[in-house]
Amino acid sequence: MPPDAPGLVPVVTPDTSSMEAGVREHIKSSESALASVIKDAGASADKLAEAYGLLGQIYQAYSLSSPAKECYQNAARLASKDFRWPYLLGKLHEREGDAQQAIALFNTARELRPDYLPVFVSLGNLHLQLNRLDEAEANFRRALEINEASASALYGLGQAALSKRIYNVAAVHLEKALKLAPEANRLHYALAMAFRGQDEMEKAQTHLAQSGSVGVRVSDPLIDGLQDLIKGARLHLIRGRTALEARRFAEAAAEFRKAIAAQPDSIPAHFNLGAALTQTGDLGGAVAQFEEILRLDPNHANAHYNLGLLLAQSNQTERAIKHLRLAVAAKSEDHDARFLLAQELVKAGRIEDAESEFARVVESAPDNEEALLASVRILLIRKEYRRALDALEKSHTRFPHKGRTAATLAYLLAASPQTDLRDGRRALELAQAIYAATGTFNHGALVATALAELGRCEEAAALSRKLMTKAVEERKSELAEKLKADLNRYEQARPCRPDADVKFSDQ
């Protein structure tokens, strides 16, 4: 829609072909309403601004950000005293992560409407994200002047005080906020940090145990009112996603069911309902939703993956493999699906197929340590020790800081059942570096294994004795027994090289 006045920008109308019929009709009729006002030579600037602003709100309600911005820019140019348009434009930039532009627009809105509390909370939150703590506090305090019972402003002040390490002040603000919004269990975590900072560990633990993901938000009539503009299944989808993000899973499921009732073939509604039901523990219901998606779209990769995941969790291995194969066929770059497929193939005893899938993950994502180590474990089971060693060497060369890879390489160099592959000196060098970094029992035992391979039995025994004593002190009886067996071998066997069947954990 081209502008009819200097300084205005054209509005590029979005493609709505994939939206439900009711939504398409709503958007098109709203666009036509603006077009009519644009064509009206006698329309005032205020009327035209209102028309642009209303269409911008409808676009924003349907998550069509780009044309919404164009509408708000024109509305703000035509009605420069109306705070709504810079404020709503700022919310779009805030959502997209453009903090600086959002702050500039919110500052404009603040000057035009100095009593609108949400603009000050929004400014405070943005300054807090940018670590501009004084500016954040100033805006939160202004919000409290407007409404002293604003839990959002009190929470913001508490967060700012935490960042400044003024823990007693943080606790005061956060306790007030929690009293005003007891359902906002995310505040408990912040309170735990405030009390920990004051060495009040009992209070800190109490709040930490109650912490969750439900935050506190300011009541914002302009943003909240956007939902009243939405029609059809999309309204319930948006409400459901909001509830899902807040971990109100039962509420989310109810909204997604309403979306399906309004549009039975809505794949997003079925997919989100499946996700919500998974979180409520209704795995059968979730499976039914993903199966319905596959009825609507047999090649839906994410539905195949989620269905495969649920079936794997319920030990329906063969069905899981079927869907995971279809997932990777539809989306070959999906490393998660391929890795899970390989794991299920291991469970089914198809070791060769599993190794091939793990290897493909490593080939396309060489930094995937889980896949590499799983592949190496299969090679060890198949007694392909040289291939296992080569894979570890290659990965360690590329990613020398991956500790589990280095530890497994050190183990194989010290204790490979194929003894001609052993290199005790290099194994010791690797093992000592790892043990120095972690100090764990397993890595200490790995150092002892390397020492034994080098024939330094007394040193291996001394280290094992030290580790065993510590394990006994820490009441780790099973570990102490294992270390005792190692100690006996190092003390009694000559030479004391590791047996060919020694087992090592890379954890």
Side-chain angles (χ1 to χ4, degrees), residues 35-318:
S36 297
V37 178
I38 291 173
K39 292 176 183 177
D40 182 0
S44 66
D46 284 344
K47 183 177 181 180
L48 187 55
E50 197 67 30
Y52 270 115
L54 177 58
L55 181 57
Q57 288 173 295
I58 290 169
Y59 283 145
Q60 186 174 2
Y62 288 118
S63 300
L64 300 168
S65 297
S66 184
K69 288 179 183 177
E70 294 158 358
C71 287
Y72 290 149
Q73 287 172 23
N74 289 341
R77 180 65 64 91
L78 291 161
S80 59
K81 301 297 184 184
D82 194 326
F83 91 102
R84 292 176 296 170
W85 314 131
Y87 178 72
L88 289 170
L89 184 55
K91 295 304 286 187
L92 288 172
H93 282 283
E94 179 186 29
R95 186 177 183 86
E96 293 174 357
D98 188 351
Q100 297 295 351
Q101 187 62 34
I103 287 172
L105 289 160
F106 289 149
N107 280 331
T108 299
R110 179 182 65 177
E111 295 300 319
L112 294 170
R113 180 75 184 275
D115 64 342
Y116 193 64
L117 185 147
V119 74
F120 293 97
V121 173
S122 296
L123 277 167
N125 286 331
L126 286 171
H127 284 301
L128 196 59
Q129 290 172 22
L130 297 172
N131 203 36
R132 300 173 182 170
L133 303 181
D134 291 339
E135 293 95 327
E137 287 180 332
N139 281 285
F140 289 133
R141 292 191 188 283
R142 175 60 185 135
L144 287 175
E145 290 175 7
I146 298 170
N147 179 8
E148 63 181 11
S150 171
S152 297
L154 287 164
Y155 177 58
L157 283 174
Q159 291 283 56
L162 273 179
S163 296
K164 289 185 172 183
R165 300 184 180 183
I166 310 174
Y167 299 114
N168 59 331
V169 173
V172 170
H173 291 311
L174 293 167
E175 285 184 314
K176 287 181 180 178
L178 187 60
K179 186 175 181 180
L180 290 165
E183 73 284 355
N185 54 21
R186 190 183 299 168
L187 274 64
H188 285 290
Y189 181 82
L191 265 170
M193 297 303 100
F195 284 120
R196 189 175 74 174
Q198 299 175 76
D199 289 326
E200 296 188 47
M201 301 310 295
E202 187 174 342
K203 287 184 178 180
Q205 288 296 331
T206 298
H207 283 287
L208 196 59
Q210 300 176 71
S211 65
S213 59
V214 179
V216 59
R217 65 178 296 274
V218 65
S219 176
D220 190 338
L222 273 178
I223 295 297
D224 297 342
L226 294 175
Q227 287 197 1
D228 295 334
L229 301 172
I230 302 173
K231 293 186 177 180
R234 190 166 292 247
L235 169 63
H236 300 296
L237 269 174
I238 290 173
R239 287 177 175 171
R241 285 169 180 157
T242 300
L244 197 61
E245 289 173 2
R247 304 181 67 82
R248 299 193 299 270
F249 301 121
E251 179 185 333
E255 290 294 340
F256 295 136
R257 289 189 192 282
K258 291 176 184 177
I260 291 170
Q263 188 181 3
D265 61 351
S266 170
I267 287 178
H270 285 290
F271 194 90
N272 281 283
L273 177 55
L277 292 175
T278 299
Q279 294 294 336
T280 65
D282 183 2
L283 301 188
V287 165
Q289 294 305 313
F290 296 126
E291 288 177 336
E292 177 63 15
I293 293 170
L294 293 175
R295 186 187 69 79
L296 296 166
D297 178 6
N299 297 316
H300 197 287
N302 288 340
H304 279 299
Y305 171 73
N306 281 15
L307 193 51
L309 178 62
L310 291 173
L311 292 169
Q313 290 173 349
S314 58
N315 292 318
Q316 298 184 56
T317 304
E318 291 300 330

Side-chain angles (χ1 to χ4, degrees), residues 207-504:
H207 283 287
L208 196 59
Q210 300 176 71
S211 65
S213 59
V214 179
V216 59
R217 65 178 296 274
V218 65
S219 176
D220 190 338
L222 273 178
I223 295 297
D224 297 342
L226 294 175
Q227 287 197 1
D228 295 334
L229 301 172
I230 302 173
K231 293 186 177 180
R234 190 166 292 247
L235 169 63
H236 300 296
L237 269 174
I238 290 173
R239 287 177 175 171
R241 285 169 180 157
T242 300
L244 197 61
E245 289 173 2
R247 304 181 67 82
R248 299 193 299 270
F249 301 121
E251 179 185 333
E255 290 294 340
F256 295 136
R257 289 189 192 282
K258 291 176 184 177
I260 291 170
Q263 188 181 3
D265 61 351
S266 170
I267 287 178
H270 285 290
F271 194 90
N272 281 283
L273 177 55
L277 292 175
T278 299
Q279 294 294 336
T280 65
D282 183 2
L283 301 188
V287 165
Q289 294 305 313
F290 296 126
E291 288 177 336
E292 177 63 15
I293 293 170
L294 293 175
R295 186 187 69 79
L296 296 166
D297 178 6
N299 297 316
H300 197 287
N302 288 340
H304 279 299
Y305 171 73
N306 281 15
L307 193 51
L309 178 62
L310 291 173
L311 292 169
Q313 290 173 349
S314 58
N315 292 318
Q316 298 184 56
T317 304
E318 291 300 330
R319 289 184 66 198
I321 289 172
K322 171 188 171 183
H323 286 287
L324 292 168
R325 284 198 186 281
L326 290 168
V328 297
K331 195 175 180 182
S332 61
E333 72 278 10
D334 189 340
H335 302 143
D336 290 337
R338 195 175 295 280
F339 184 81
L340 183 57
L341 170 61
Q343 289 181 312
E344 291 302 292
L345 288 167
V346 170
K347 285 167 62 176
R350 304 180 201 173
I351 301 300
E352 188 172 341
D353 288 347
E355 196 277 324
S356 175
E357 295 298 342
F358 282 132
R360 291 182 68 179
V361 175
V362 175
E363 182 181 355
S364 55
D367 64 336
N368 189 322
E369 190 175 36
E370 286 288 341
L372 169 75
L373 294 176
S375 178
V376 166
R377 280 192 288 271
I378 289 177
L379 291 172
L380 293 177
I381 290 170
R382 295 168 60 184
K383 300 183 179 181
E384 297 187 39
Y385 304 117
R386 187 172 295 280
R387 282 187 63 198
L389 187 60
D390 288 345
L392 290 166
E393 289 278 20
K394 181 179 178 181
S395 182
H396 180 64
T397 299
R398 294 189 65 179
F399 308 104
H401 299 299
K402 287 189 177 292
R404 294 175 62 196
T405 300
T408 310
L409 174 58
Y411 159 69
L412 203 56
L413 289 168
S416 172
Q418 187 174 333
T419 55
D420 64 319
L421 296 177
R422 295 185 185 186
D423 183 342
R425 193 173 301 281
R426 185 148 176 267
L428 181 61
E429 180 183 332
L430 284 168
Q432 286 177 328
I434 297 164
Y435 185 44
T438 68
T440 66
F441 286 103
N442 278 339
H443 294 155
L446 181 58
V447 173
T449 301
L451 287 168
E453 170 60 18
L454 289 169
R456 293 159 64 176
C457 304
E458 289 77 10
E459 292 173 74
L463 178 54
S464 289
R465 190 178 299 108
K466 177 183 174 182
L467 292 169
M468 184 185 71
T469 301
K470 186 178 178 183
V472 170
E473 291 172 351
E474 295 183 11
R475 298 183 179 180
K476 297 180 178 180
S477 55
E478 186 175 341
L479 179 60
E481 285 299 316
K482 178 184 180 302
L483 290 166
K484 184 178 179 181
D486 291 343
L487 176 60
N488 289 338
R489 183 171 65 254
Y490 300 146
E491 287 181 332
Q492 297 173 15
R494 291 295 183 275
C496 59
R497 297 181 74 188
D499 294 335
D501 62 347
V502 169
K503 298 296 186 296
F504 169 72

